[in-house]
Amino acid sequence: MAGKPKLHYTKGRGKMESIRWLLAAAGVEFEEEFIETKEDLEKLRNDGSLLFQQVPMVEIDGMRMVQTRAILSYIAAKYNLYGKDLKERAWIDMYVEGTTDLMGMIMYLPFQPADTKEKNLALIIERATTRYFPVYEKALKDHGQDYLVGNKLSWADVHLLEAILMVEECKPDALSAFPLLQAFKGRISNIPTIKKFLQPGSQRKPPIDEKFVAVVRKIFNI
């Protein structure tokens, strides 16, 4: 039997968090080897583990996979969370790219200068509530099903729940105008594997704080 996937990243969310989410949703146990210093990162680079000298990196099925999108699509396909045909996969990809854009804005917020943070936070809320959430609300309304694609849990649903929770950390009432997304959030959060991941003590990581921003800057020299 193959060993558990091993995730190589910092102790923060960053680009690895969506990978943690997807593995957890699929019910897959995984191990983590944390990069805590610049030397830890250099070791991975020097021993040839990182194809493009970058993390996240996941050891899975005898591969050392890099590039977040490649890792996520592999996990989604392996655990039957990637639709039943090319059209469903295309819709999943489109929905995931949207939530990736939104989460990317939130992910980089703590690293921005203090004088621009408030303006950028307002932009995130504006984009979430006028550009992104309306798309998912309409999708759920148009087909009247519990999931975004194919009436079956997919990577798109897992990613959207992660994005919703990130936006709500910025603005708790962000879903107030989206009743179908509120119901979606409740449904997906109660799927047993996801419910477990949302409990305290899981491998889900907390929002990044100033102290951890300093650690990340030191590790990645930014």
Side-chain angles (χ1 to χ4, degrees):
M1 183 179 153
K4 295 175 187 174
K6 185 184 277 190
L7 283 48
H8 296 263
Y9 203 66
T10 67
K11 281 185 177 173
R13 287 182 181 176
K15 292 189 172 185
M16 187 63 91
E17 191 69 357
S18 292
I19 297 166
R20 296 180 184 114
W21 264 89
L22 197 56
L23 285 168
V28 179
E29 291 184 8
F30 57 88
E31 297 172 351
E32 299 191 78
E33 194 157 306
F34 294 116
I35 296 166
E36 299 186 71
T37 64
K38 207 170 175 176
E39 290 69 34
D40 291 341
L41 181 60
E42 284 306 312
K43 185 177 181 299
L44 282 176
R45 285 174 171 163
N46 293 335
D47 72 11
S49 293
L50 307 179
L51 196 61
F52 299 109
Q53 308 293 305
Q54 294 170 309
V55 288
M57 188 268 279
V58 175
E59 293 182 62
I60 185 169
D61 295 342
M63 296 184 288
R64 288 174 172 173
M65 290 197 74
V66 295
Q67 298 296 352
T68 313
R69 172 80 206 197
I71 297 165
L72 284 164
S73 57
Y74 181 84
I75 293 165
K78 180 178 170 75
Y79 295 105
N80 202 22
L81 294 166
Y82 210 176
K84 70 177 189 301
D85 56 30
L86 272 176
K87 278 193 176 177
E88 285 195 358
R89 189 167 287 202
W91 277 106
I92 290 167
D93 284 341
M94 285 192 279
Y95 289 143
V96 163
E97 289 298 323
T99 37
T100 298
D101 290 347
L102 177 57
M103 288 194 282
M105 294 172 73
I106 299 171
M107 200 184 300
Y108 293 114
L109 191 65
F111 295 90
Q112 291 166 355
D115 57 346
T116 64
K117 267 186 195 171
E118 204 170 312
K119 187 179 81 173
N120 287 322
L121 180 59
L123 178 63
I124 288 165
I125 301 306
E126 190 264 329
R127 287 272 168 87
T129 54
T130 65
R131 179 179 293 187
Y132 295 106
F133 287 170
V135 170
Y136 302 106
E137 182 82 3
K138 184 176 186 298
L140 293 167
K141 185 181 180 185
D142 286 352
H143 62 48
Q145 295 171 341
D146 287 349
Y147 304 103
L148 286 171
V149 179
N151 203 25
K152 179 179 181 294
L153 182 70
S154 76
W155 172 20
D157 301 303
V158 179
H159 221 242
L160 176 55
L161 178 61
E162 183 188 0
I164 286 170
L165 296 181
M166 284 177 76
V167 172
E168 286 185 332
E169 286 171 352
C170 300
K171 189 176 192 292
D173 65 348
L175 285 187
S176 58
F178 304 99
L180 297 181
L181 282 180
Q182 291 173 40
F184 171 90
K185 175 191 161 189
R187 278 196 307 277
I188 307 301
S189 296
N190 275 301
I191 291 168
T193 52
I194 294 174
K195 190 173 184 177
K196 185 180 174 187
F197 188 62
L198 291 171
Q199 299 305 311
S202 79
Q203 286 166 293
R204 186 182 179 214
K205 302 298 179 270
I208 192 169
D209 59 19
E210 287 300 322
K211 191 177 170 188
F212 194 71
V213 167
V215 171
V216 171
R217 286 190 187 281
K218 204 168 177 183
I219 293 170
F220 295 102
N221 204 22
I222 51 177

